[in-house]
Amino acid sequence: MLGIDIDKDLIKEARRQWGSVVREEKEKERGEGGKEGGQEVKGNRGEKRERQTDGVVGWNEVGGAGGASSGLGAAPQGSGGMAAAAGRAVEEAAAAAAQAVGAARGAGGRPRVVFRCLNVVEADMPRDSADTVLCLSVTKWVHLNWGDAGLIALFANLFHMLRPGGVLILEPQPWSSYKKKHGLTKESREHYSSIKIFPAHFRQLLLDKIGFQRVEELTAAVPTARGFDRPLFVYYK
């Protein structure tokens, strides 16, 4: 699994948090099963190599026979209960994510998770490299910093990253939220005044221009946290 963000501080924090999760799991494993076959299990080269690769950034570590999952703008989050609460679209997305986690499992049975500081708008992303891509609370910032052209480039890159049959889980911010942040920089002010592709147009853009086959809305199917009720969409390649 690969987590991507343009902010190096967020990537650093994501690595720190994931490292804490891995360490806690290792400590729990040592406490619950320090022996195997009547003999104490001691550290070996394999364990040392695992410690060295925890949190390491590298595209070659993502993927494999079963695929990979990428998250943009946020560290991977658990999806407990999602498939039970949602309809067919959520179940398919959850199944794809589960397959990705299974394929990405490293030593010790833990999923291999890496974080990379990257600008997805401008980067040359590897094609057909992921089964599931999450783009959550990202579109507004891309729109304000790179305008309509940047938004189109983002969507095109996400589409090309997905394997055939892959899904993009998209949570776009509403147009009403742009006004509060459009004055942060000179570029954001200029882009805000020149935007022609509004969030209401994203569906048509993704289906008619980018190439996704269909879309399903998950808003009614997924329980939301208090005060957070943005629409959530699944686009199928």
Side-chain angles (χ1 to χ4, degrees):
M1 300 180 73
L2 173 68
I4 299 174
D5 201 284
I6 195 172
D7 190 327
K8 63 181 181 180
D9 291 331
L10 291 179
I11 292 296
K12 183 178 179 180
E13 176 62 15
R15 290 173 180 163
R16 186 193 68 78
Q17 292 192 22
W18 178 247
S20 296
V21 170
V22 171
R23 285 192 295 273
E24 289 176 3
E25 286 189 356
K26 288 181 178 179
E27 291 173 359
K28 183 178 179 181
E29 290 169 1
R30 293 191 186 101
E32 292 179 350
K35 295 184 178 182
E36 181 177 313
Q39 295 182 351
E40 184 177 352
V41 178
K42 298 182 178 180
N44 53 35
R45 294 181 181 177
E47 183 179 287
K48 183 177 181 180
R49 284 197 300 271
E50 183 187 352
R51 286 198 300 268
Q52 291 174 341
T53 57
D54 285 336
V56 171
V57 177
W59 203 274
N60 291 336
E61 295 186 28
V62 180
S69 174
S70 299
L72 305 179
Q77 300 287 327
S79 56
M82 179 178 289
R88 179 171 55 85
V90 179
E91 292 177 355
E92 292 178 2
Q99 181 185 16
V101 170
R105 287 196 180 279
R110 280 176 291 274
R112 179 181 295 158
V113 178
V114 294
F115 300 95
R116 188 175 185 185
C117 185
L118 189 68
N119 181 353
V120 181
V121 174
E122 300 175 347
D124 184 16
M125 307 301 292
R127 295 190 173 222
D128 301 330
S129 60
D131 295 310
T132 306
V133 171
L134 287 82
C135 184
L136 311 176
S137 300
V138 173
T139 51
K140 175 176 70 177
W141 303 112
V142 170
H143 225 166
L144 290 176
N145 283 286
W146 288 277
D148 285 344
L151 182 77
I152 294 172
L154 170 69
F155 287 158
N157 269 339
L158 300 185
F159 178 82
H160 293 312
M161 284 178 65
L162 288 169
R163 295 185 177 92
V167 296
L168 166 65
I169 301 177
L170 178 67
E171 180 263 301
Q173 295 103 316
W175 175 249
S176 59
S177 70
Y178 282 54
K179 187 175 181 179
K180 297 178 182 179
K181 301 295 183 180
H182 82 281
L184 291 177
T185 66
K186 177 182 177 182
E187 290 77 11
S188 64
R189 289 192 295 271
E190 292 175 351
H191 288 138
Y192 178 78
S193 62
S194 64
I195 286 175
K196 298 288 192 297
I197 304 173
F198 298 99
H201 303 149
F202 289 179
R203 179 189 297 252
Q204 182 180 1
L205 172 64
L206 287 161
L207 294 176
D208 296 345
K209 303 297 183 181
I210 301 300
F212 284 95
Q213 298 298 309
R214 61 188 176 94
V215 59
E216 295 186 23
E217 184 173 350
L218 307 184
T219 307
V222 180
T224 58
R226 183 178 179 182
F228 190 90
D229 57 355
R230 294 176 189 158
L232 194 64
F233 302 94
V234 175
Y235 286 87
Y236 296 82
K237 181 174 179 178

